[in-house]
Structure formats: structure tokens, C-alpha cells
Amino acid sequence: MRIPIIKPFIDENIKCKVLSVLESGYLTEGSVTREFEEVCREYLGPRHCIAVSSCTVGLEMALRCLNIGPEDEVIVPDYTYPATAYAVAIVGAKIILVDVNPKTMLIDYDALEEAITPSTSAVIPVSLFGNPLDYDRLKAIKKKFGIYIVEDAACALGAEYKGRRVGTLADITVFSLHPRKFITTGEGGLITTEYDTWAAWLTSYKKFGIGHNPSREESVFERIGTNYKLSNILAAIGLGQMQHIDGLLIKRKKLASIYIQLLDGMKGLSLPLTTPAGSHSYQSFSVLVENRDHILEALRSQGIEVQIGTYSLHLQPAFQNSQICQIKSDMNGSNYAYKHCLTLPLYHDMCTEDQKEVVTAIKSYLKD
Ligand SMILES: Cc1ncc(COP(=O)(O)O)c(C=O)c1O
């Protein structure tokens, strides 16, 4: 595509870091991964930050760490990438789908409260597209019902709420480092938490259940675990990218503000609302338009890579099996977002001319 939706930031320094890992001969998870975890921990601010091989497995690990399984119900917003709900099914728990607010496309907090039963153990709210959640509301719900909050922050690296970064606001938060994200390791994820025992469990589980045993040479396998490690090679890419996170984020916010100015007052188009007291990271810049599918096709045919926002899970065959999934709301908000949300190109070296071209093209196809 002439104007892509995202471009990974790769400079000479990142190439050198990867080469240096390749030359070291130590390719699997090791000291570079540790350094990457520490840099991310310092940036995000939690007590613990654990690198894993994807956000999807990170969500699964979070639920396992909380002992969530076949007896439990976990509430998930209907409008999200399917991986959010897959994690629940993978640990054997029941997925409870609730609606989203059509103005923010984030979980509908009233629908969430109404869906809670004595079997509810957790909610996985999604800070979709980089729009932070209303953590005050979520904390009040947690306090009232005693459920865990496992945030799917796949898209929310760098987002903030009341001056605190996402990654410190839920019991466990999971980020994605997939190339659709502005900080990427190719594939990868990060889990953050404040709790030492959970962090120790998560760190051990991703490495075959190995425990810490400083007095002996051989490993001690303390629990059944798996292999969800992030290699030194991938961590080297992430380390190089993290050196630029502040600049990349400022650039994304600047590009978003230019889009907002250019789109201002356009009939037939509205902008999703950012959570009050939140700072959006604009992982995706999305708009709501009446004739979305027509605009999407037309822009793509001109070489402008636009995408739908994400998916309504209740419409996907994978979730239409009542054994694993229960649909709790009318899903009007989710259906609306699934039909009308359009994501526009936004990458670090995008120029204003390209933004103007995108906006002019949208304007010419808009139905008001
Ligand atoms: C909201 C959400 N959750 C989870 C994922 C899965 O992330 P990963 O590809 O790192 O497993 C994505 C991927 O885009 C996502 O958008």
C-alpha cells in the first residue's frame, strides 16, 4: 500500500543490537530479555514486568496465575480482537460477553456490573486502540464484587489515566508487541503486576516451571509450566525501540491532533470519545462513519491502507457455542462499532500531505 496503516520503527541501532545478539551465540531468552523487561518496567512504573511470546499467551497466563478455570466465569467486552476471549476458553472458563459503549467502544460498565454472578472471577476490560479505561469505575466494581481486573492493554502502551501509565492500574495488565503496535518485537508481549507472588509464578510458568535455586547448578522444576519465553533476538529489537518511545508517542499524538483538525465538522463522521482524565496513545486512529465498507474499499483501491476497527465476537462462529460462551447484552454498541468503525493510517514518519490525502479521500466518499 502506498500509505500503510503502520510502519515499524527500525533504525541502524536496532539492526546493530540484533546483530550483536546473533554474534553472541546466545539466542534464546537471556540477559537481553532481562534488560528489555527492566527498561519496560521503568517506563511503565509497576513493580514487575515480564516479557512473553505474545499478548494472547500473556492473558492466558494471567488467568492461570489467578487460578481461573472451569468453575469460573470471565467477563469480556464483545467488541475486541478474539484473542481476549480465547484466553478465557483456553483455561476452560466460561466467556461472558457484554456490550460496549458505542461512543468510546470500551466496555459498558453498567452492562459489566449487571453480568456479574457469584461465579464471576474476573473481567478482562480492553483499553481498545490505546484509549485508557475508567479505572476509578473498574476499581469500584472490583471492590463491590471482589473480582479480578486483568486488563487487555494490547494496544495501550503509553496510554495514561490521571497521570498514571496503563500497566499500573489493573491487577494484571498485558500488552502486545505485535508489528501492528508502535513498539514491536515482531511477536511478543509484556505482563505487568504489583504482586511479588504472581510475578514469581508468571516468570516460572513461562520457563517450564523452573524455580529459583541459587545454590544448585541444575534446574528445579517447581510446577507444570510451558515455554512462552521472549528470545534475546526479539528483545534486542524491543530495546532499540524503547529508546525512542517518548518521541514516537509524541509523534503519534501530534499526527492524531492533525487528523482531528482536518476532520473537524465533517458531516457523516464522528470521533470516538477518549475516557475523561485519560491520555490516548493513538495506537489506532479510528473514526465512525456511516458508509464504512464503501469508504474502506474505495480508499484501499487508491493505495490507502484503512482497516475496520476490530470484531464483534458474538457474530463470530468461534463464540456461537453456548458451552463456552454466553451473550449477556443486546450488543447494540458492539454492532454499531463493528459496522461503522474505520481505522486510518498513522505511522511515525507520516507527513501532513499524506494525512490530507487520506482525509480528502474520506470526504469524497462520505454519505452525510
Ligand atoms: C485487543 C487485543 N487483544 C489481544 C491481541 C493479541 O495480541 P498478540 O498478537 O500479541 O497475541 C490483539 C492483537 O492485535 C488485540 O488487538
Side-chain angles (χ1 to χ4, degrees):
M1 286 279 176
R2 207 164 36 80
I3 304 184
I5 197 137
I6 187 105
K7 270 193 215 166
F9 174 84
I10 303 291
D11 64 359
E12 286 309 312
N13 174 46
I14 294 177
K15 292 179 193 167
C16 288
K17 280 187 186 302
V18 172
L19 190 62
S20 139
V21 171
L22 296 178
E23 287 174 352
S24 77
Y26 198 101
L27 308 190
T28 186
E29 177 165 315
S31 60
V32 186
T33 314
R34 289 295 84 69
E35 198 184 334
F36 177 56
E37 288 175 328
E38 184 51 24
V39 164
C40 295
R41 195 192 66 74
E42 272 179 22
Y43 177 79
L44 295 167
R47 252 175 91 71
H48 302 281
C49 180
I50 298 134
V52 289
S53 49
S54 72
C55 174
T56 308
V57 300
L59 290 168
E60 175 202 330
M61 286 170 64
L63 297 177
R64 288 198 196 285
C65 170
L66 300 173
N67 265 321
I68 292 174
E71 303 300 312
D72 301 293
E73 293 179 357
V74 178
I75 299 174
V76 172
D78 189 63
Y79 190 62
T80 182
Y81 197 69
T84 316
Y86 286 163
V88 179
I90 286 165
V91 303
K94 188 153 193 177
I95 305 160
I96 307 295
L97 293 175
V98 299
D99 206 2
V100 297
N101 178 331
K103 295 204 168 105
T104 59
M105 294 181 278
L106 303 178
I107 195 163
D108 176 328
Y109 303 103
D110 293 331
L112 159 61
E113 269 206 54
E114 281 163 27
I116 294 173
T117 72
S119 301
T120 308
S121 302
V123 54
I124 313 185
V126 182
S127 27
L128 199 69
F129 307 146
N131 189 3
L133 294 149
D134 180 342
Y135 300 89
D136 286 348
R137 182 79 198 268
L138 286 170
K139 276 183 187 150
I141 294 172
K142 176 183 162 68
K143 198 167 169 202
K144 185 165 166 196
F145 296 98
I147 60 172
Y148 292 118
I149 301 170
V150 175
E151 179 176 356
D152 179 344
C155 312
L157 198 68
E160 293 177 19
Y161 179 74
K162 296 192 171 170
R164 281 177 66 187
R165 291 216 165 105
V166 167
T168 57
L169 298 156
D171 291 311
I172 302 182
T173 306
V174 190
F175 298 92
S176 173
L177 301 168
H178 178 272
R180 181 65 187 78
K181 317 302 179 231
F182 79 100
I183 295 291
T184 178
T185 54
E187 293 284 354
L190 294 168
I191 311 178
T192 59
T193 187
E194 295 303 312
Y195 301 101
D196 298 353
T197 45
W198 294 351
W201 188 94
L202 293 161
T203 305
S204 161
Y205 185 75
K206 73 158 175 172
K207 284 192 282 188
F208 306 108
I210 291 174
H212 182 62
N213 186 355
S215 64
R216 287 171 61 178
E217 268 300 300
E218 78 265 27
S219 299
V220 176
F221 296 90
E222 286 184 339
R223 56 183 58 78
I224 302 291
T226 186
N227 181 355
Y228 287 159
K229 291 177 286 178
L230 188 79
S231 76
N232 270 350
I233 307 170
L234 300 186
I237 304 173
L239 261 183
Q241 296 215 333
M242 283 302 288
Q243 287 179 351
H244 297 276
I245 188 164
D246 290 333
L248 290 171
L249 203 56
I250 289 169
K251 189 74 210 256
R252 294 192 79 76
K253 289 184 182 183
K254 174 83 188 147
L255 291 167
S257 73
I258 293 172
Y259 266 141
I260 291 167
Q261 277 171 29
L262 294 173
L263 293 164
D264 188 37
M266 215 178 261
K267 276 196 175 159
L269 178 147
S270 62
L271 295 170
L273 300 181
T274 298
T275 297
S279 168
H280 203 307
S281 66
Y282 291 106
Q283 173 50 58
S284 289
F285 187 89
S286 297
V287 296
L288 295 157
V289 281
E290 275 311 308
N291 51 338
R292 195 270 319 271
D293 291 342
H294 176 63
I295 297 178
L296 189 135
E297 289 305 317
L299 265 64
R300 280 188 181 169
S301 72
Q302 292 181 23
I304 300 172
E305 189 180 15
V306 281
Q307 284 178 358
I308 65 163
T310 190
Y311 296 86
S312 276
L313 301 191
H314 75 282
L315 299 176
Q316 304 303 318
F319 301 102
Q320 284 169 345
N321 169 359
S322 62
Q323 298 289 308
I324 60 156
C325 183
Q326 203 178 329
I327 297 163
K328 275 282 172 96
S329 327
D330 57 21
M331 302 304 180
N332 288 338
S334 176
N335 288 334
Y336 180 81
Y338 188 46
K339 191 160 176 230
H340 297 290
C341 184
L342 180 75
T343 300
L344 312 188
L346 203 169
Y347 45 88
H348 58 90
D349 56 359
M350 190 172 191
C351 62
T352 310
E353 283 318 304
D354 284 347
Q355 287 192 280
K356 283 186 180 160
E357 185 181 335
V358 174
V359 171
T360 306
I362 293 175
K363 200 172 180 180
S364 68
Y365 296 108
L366 263 184
K367 189 173 76 182
D368 53 42

